Each structure stands twice: as structure tokens, then as C-alpha cells.
Amino acid sequence: MWRRMLKKTAPRRRGVILWAYGRSATDTYCGTLKDSAHFRYCNGIKEGFNTDRNHAPQGRDLTRTNLARCARRDEMLSHIKPGHLSKQDRPDHITTPEKLMRAARDNGYEVVVAEYRSNALARMVSSWEMHARSAADTEAEFCLPGDGLVEKMAEEKRLWQRGLRAAVHERLKVIELSFENVTRGLCAAVKRTTLALEPSECGGAKCACQEFESPHTKTSNRAASLAGRTSPEAAACITAALEGAPDYAWMLDLSRAEK
């Protein structure tokens, strides 16, 4: 009986989870991997566990049951952001990076692509400007008391690093990418992933790179100043918060990818 159940529920191929924040060329990477390796998205969308009401279409709660359901349907690709971790303290809900990577292992998502955009400010600004915002909302987002902005950036990185360590601990195949790995060498970054898949699925020319162009690449006003992309008040707050912090001041040049 147990063997029959395992045969019914086991995914037909090795799955991939992209563990990354948004505005990090994730649409381009996932779309290219999906088309190249003939994947299907978990819950039918790239961010299958994004339950933000402002995100359309909405995904499902991040639970072991929902992840297992994707595996049973052979939907073996998903972009899971640290922010998708469940806030509900219930037994089935995945609330930590450690629980996520354990559930990934248990359900056949054996490859974790961990991507991090080092210029956290550029990522934040790019995300913020995707939607129309009031000056008051923009100021509230970036004008945090004390060292709040630096602490927010540091905490986001710590949470991402926890996921990376957890994936290693669970003995998953980890492929660590930088933002520039994706933006300057998309097909090479995708090939690193397809090489970690089964030869039966991606051997030979079966997973030749098919580049996907995300419409989100056109939503960032890269030619504008920091004040132009946020607001004069927010830019003043950001500058004051970061210019005295050596590990963060370089981010004020939004075009820089690395320190």
C-alpha cells in the first residue's frame, strides 16, 4: 500500500525553487527556465504562494499541503520570496526558511536557486516605483526612525541567508546566483540550473535556452535620480540613513550592482 501511494504522489521530475526577493530579474530568470526546461509553475503562476491582495493573480497559502499538491500535479517550478513565508502559526503552515527547505526536500524540489541582489536600495526603489504612490506613503516607507532603514536591509539579508543555509543543511542542490549573473549571462545562469536536472529531462539539447523577456524590465525609471524615483523627502531620508554606513553608502548609486 505504501509503495502504491508513493508512486501516485511522487513528482515525475526534479523540482526547482527560486529563493529570492523581487525586482532581481526573477521574472526573466524564471520565464527562461520554465520555457527552456519545460516546467509548469506551482499553482499556475510564478509566485504561486504570493497571497498579497495587491498581487494579481493571487497564490495560495504556503503550506506543506499546498506544496505537496503542486508536486502531485507535476508543477515543479516556483519563485518563493522570503516574504511568502506564512504568518499563520498553524501546524501545516511553512513559517520559516528551515521549514520551507525541509518541505522542498520532502516533495521533490531538490534544486534551490538562491539569488540575491546586493544593492538592496536599488531593489527596494525598483519595487516601490512599480505602482503609483503618494508622497506621504513614499516618505513613510523610506523615512524610518533611527537606523531603521539599515536594519531593515540587514534583516532581509539575514532571512535570505537562513534559507541558503537551510537548503545546504537539507542537502539540496544549491545554485547561488548574483543579480549580475542573471542580467549579464541569462542563458549561462539557466544552464547551471538545467545541468542539475535529470539527463532524461534536460540531456543533450532538450533544454536549450529560450530567453524570456519580462514586461517588468520596462517599469523601472533608471534614468531618473533617487529623488525622481521616490520623492525629494524620501531621498533626503535615504541619503542621511546610508551615507554614514560604509556597508550601505555605495548603494546610493542605484546603478551599482556590487560594493
Side-chain angles (χ1 to χ4, degrees):
M1 172 65 76
W2 181 84
R3 288 185 178 179
R4 286 200 301 271
M5 288 178 63
L6 182 62
K7 186 175 181 179
K8 288 181 181 179
T9 59
R12 292 191 295 273
R13 66 179 306 185
R14 191 172 297 157
V16 177
I17 286 177
L18 173 62
W19 173 248
Y21 288 101
R23 305 307 286 168
S24 303
T26 57
D27 270 14
T28 301
Y29 172 82
C30 272
T32 300
L33 178 61
K34 174 178 174 291
D35 292 347
S36 302
H38 322 293
F39 273 114
R40 291 195 294 166
Y41 283 138
C42 186
N43 296 320
I45 54 176
K46 180 175 80 81
E47 296 179 26
F49 299 101
N50 189 337
T51 57
D52 187 338
R53 293 179 181 178
N54 295 319
H55 185 273
Q58 273 189 284
R60 296 176 177 269
D61 288 331
L62 183 55
T63 66
R64 290 185 62 89
T65 296
N66 286 338
L67 192 63
R69 183 181 292 116
C70 285
R72 287 197 301 272
R73 295 187 301 220
D74 202 36
E75 298 173 348
M76 300 304 291
L77 174 61
S78 190
H79 172 201
I80 301 181
K81 300 177 181 178
H84 295 166
L85 295 170
S86 178
K87 307 299 189 296
Q88 302 181 53
D89 190 16
R90 298 179 182 179
D92 192 44
H93 281 245
I94 297 174
T95 56
T96 68
E98 292 77 17
K99 290 181 179 180
L100 171 62
M101 299 308 170
R102 191 170 306 122
R105 179 203 63 193
D106 292 345
N107 288 286
Y109 295 88
E110 299 176 15
V111 179
V112 172
V113 178
E115 191 220 332
Y116 188 77
R117 185 174 182 176
S118 296
N119 193 328
L121 178 61
R123 173 173 52 79
M124 287 179 173
V125 170
S126 181
S127 178
W128 187 252
E129 67 182 351
M130 286 184 70
H131 305 284
R133 315 279 190 174
S134 70
D137 285 345
T138 303
E139 190 171 348
E141 175 72 12
F142 292 102
C143 294
L144 305 181
D147 295 327
L149 185 60
V150 167
E151 290 172 0
K152 180 179 179 181
M153 291 177 176
E155 178 54 33
E156 286 182 347
K157 186 171 185 179
R158 283 193 293 268
L159 188 59
W160 178 84
Q161 289 174 326
R162 278 178 60 188
L164 179 62
R165 289 194 297 269
V168 172
H169 178 76
E170 296 296 338
R171 298 187 178 182
L172 301 173
K173 172 63 178 179
V174 176
I175 299 168
E176 191 172 352
L177 298 175
S178 69
F179 178 65
E180 286 205 314
N181 287 152
V182 178
T183 57
R184 294 190 176 184
L186 175 60
C187 285
V190 168
K191 186 173 182 179
R192 286 180 61 188
T193 311
T194 58
L195 286 173
L197 303 176
E198 305 91 327
S200 60
E201 297 288 347
C202 277
K206 291 180 181 178
C207 292
C209 184
Q210 299 181 43
E211 291 195 35
F212 172 81
E213 184 177 353
S214 170
H216 290 170
T217 59
K218 301 176 182 177
T219 58
S220 291
N221 189 5
R222 296 182 182 87
S225 65
L226 178 59
R229 296 177 70 177
T230 56
S231 73
E233 295 79 12
C237 290
I238 294 167
T239 301
L242 302 189
E243 64 181 358
D247 288 337
Y248 298 88
W250 67 272
M251 297 180 189
L252 291 166
D253 179 354
L254 298 179
S255 66
R256 284 185 63 177
E258 302 287 345
K259 184 177 177 182

